[in-house]
Amino acid sequence: MKISKIAEILEAEVLCCDGHTENEVMSACASDMMSDVLAFVKDHAVLITGLCNPQVIRTAEMMDIVCVVYVRGKKPDAMSIELAESKNIVLMTSKYRMYQACGLLFSQGMHGGDCLI
Amino acid sequence: MSEKRRIVLEFDVDGDNFVSAGKASEAVKSNLKMLGLPPALIRRAAIVMYEGEINMVIHAKGGRAYVEITDQEISITLKDVGPGIPDIDLAMQEGYSTAPDEIRALGFGAGMGLPNMKKYSDSLEIQSEPGKGTTVKMKIKL
């Protein structure tokens, strides 16, 4: 699924790297615990989270995550945006809660990828 | 015969600033990318280094990281002079954590750090003495 399609489904506002929204996302993961993300995420994923600190972006960078969606209308701090810009990670914010955001993406064909333990 | 590769990187990990935690891992990842190593292997090295770096910041007020890249392996050594790990077997259990609540609020301290480091490295060796510090050695074969 293209990042632009994720933004459309979640009625999200893209906060940075809008030049990369035509990139493809292969799987999805939703968590506020970054160690869980580090344990299970697969390649070219979108991360859906309610956590807004710069460690979210560092985690995304380590895992080659291409897009981060902040739920409940949350917005990251300036340092997160700056870091994401330097790593070409698309950030967006959606008014949906995490459960709803996951449900909407899943129902539109965005599955979790091969992440069963 | 072609020359043998041996690249050594060293970093001071600042323990006072959680926001900057991960900088050393970021630098190591960039170096591995520049060497053109396979992405899956780079990601494994990045994960174990990042988890280790975060642990040093959370538990030991920082430390020092040494990374050596040869033709055969990536070797990561993390040394701190923090409180040490009294029971390493217990610390290796998924879900066990001594991290304070404020660290959990930042998305870490779920008790997955050491298990992740074991999962993604080919070898993990921990030497720790309570009150003196911890040395973690991880290797990833190329």
Side-chain angles (χ1 to χ4, degrees):
Chain A
M1 184 183 284
K2 283 197 162 100
I3 293 173
S4 56
K5 181 75 180 165
I6 293 173
E8 186 192 316
I9 293 167
L10 298 179
E11 299 164 44
E13 177 195 346
V14 175
L15 303 168
C16 80
C17 301
D18 47 6
H20 294 272
T21 52
E22 290 310 295
N23 290 348
E24 287 282 338
V25 163
M26 310 306 282
S27 66
C29 171
S31 183
D32 286 346
M33 290 310 289
M34 292 303 109
S35 278
D36 284 349
V37 176
L38 288 163
F40 304 121
V41 166
K42 301 290 174 190
D43 207 6
H44 282 83
V46 52
L47 169 63
I48 302 147
T49 188
L51 194 69
C52 286
N53 66 54
Q55 292 308 333
V56 172
I57 312 299
R58 288 203 198 279
T59 302
E61 146 74 353
M62 299 305 155
M63 301 303 287
D64 301 317
I65 285 171
V66 293
C67 174
V68 177
V69 179
Y70 298 97
V71 291
R72 303 193 297 280
K74 288 187 173 188
K75 283 191 180 173
D77 54 18
M79 192 184 168
S80 296
I81 293 177
E82 202 181 304
L83 259 176
E85 268 172 349
S86 70
K87 306 290 177 193
N88 296 328
I89 299 167
V90 179
L91 302 184
M92 61 179 84
T93 180
S94 167
K95 289 217 162 58
Y96 287 108
R97 282 174 279 163
M98 191 189 276
Y99 181 74
Q100 294 170 309
C102 294
L104 282 166
L105 289 178
F106 198 94
S107 68
Q108 297 285 323
M110 180 80 253
H111 295 171
D114 180 23
C115 326
L116 287 177
I117 13 171
Chain B
M1 206 174 130
S2 62
E3 260 183 53
K4 286 194 173 130
R5 174 172 63 197
R6 183 173 177 269
I7 297 162
V8 179
L9 306 165
E10 279 190 51
F11 304 91
D12 265 324
V13 175
D14 179 4
D16 294 326
N17 189 357
F18 186 77
V19 169
S20 69
K23 271 194 174 170
S25 308
E26 212 180 305
V28 168
K29 192 175 181 194
S30 301
N31 272 282
L32 296 176
K33 269 188 185 169
M34 277 195 290
L35 291 171
L37 296 175
L41 205 135
I42 294 176
R43 199 174 320 137
R44 282 173 57 209
I47 294 168
V48 299
M49 170 102 191
Y50 184 51
E51 288 280 20
E53 194 181 346
I54 292 279
N55 269 353
M56 281 205 291
V57 173
I58 294 175
H59 298 288
K61 294 184 178 159
R64 205 143 168 82
Y66 306 86
V67 179
E68 190 179 322
I69 307 151
T70 65
D71 291 315
Q72 285 80 38
E73 64 184 21
I74 303 166
S75 164
I76 300 167
T77 304
L78 305 167
K79 273 187 185 188
D80 69 58
V81 285
I85 307 170
D87 186 339
I88 293 173
D89 289 338
L90 186 60
M92 288 305 299
Q93 284 179 21
E94 276 189 21
Y96 178 80
S97 174
T98 56
D101 284 348
E102 60 263 32
I103 293 297
R104 278 174 230 261
L106 293 168
F108 288 88
M112 291 300 289
L114 285 172
N116 276 352
M117 286 152 74
K118 188 172 182 192
K119 181 177 168 185
Y120 289 110
S121 60
D122 289 310
S123 76
L124 167 70
E125 199 183 299
I126 305 170
Q127 290 171 325
S128 189
E129 203 176 327
K132 293 207 167 158
T134 301
T135 299
V136 176
K137 287 185 185 172
M138 295 175 284
K139 287 186 176 171
I140 290 175
K141 288 182 191 146
L142 299 183

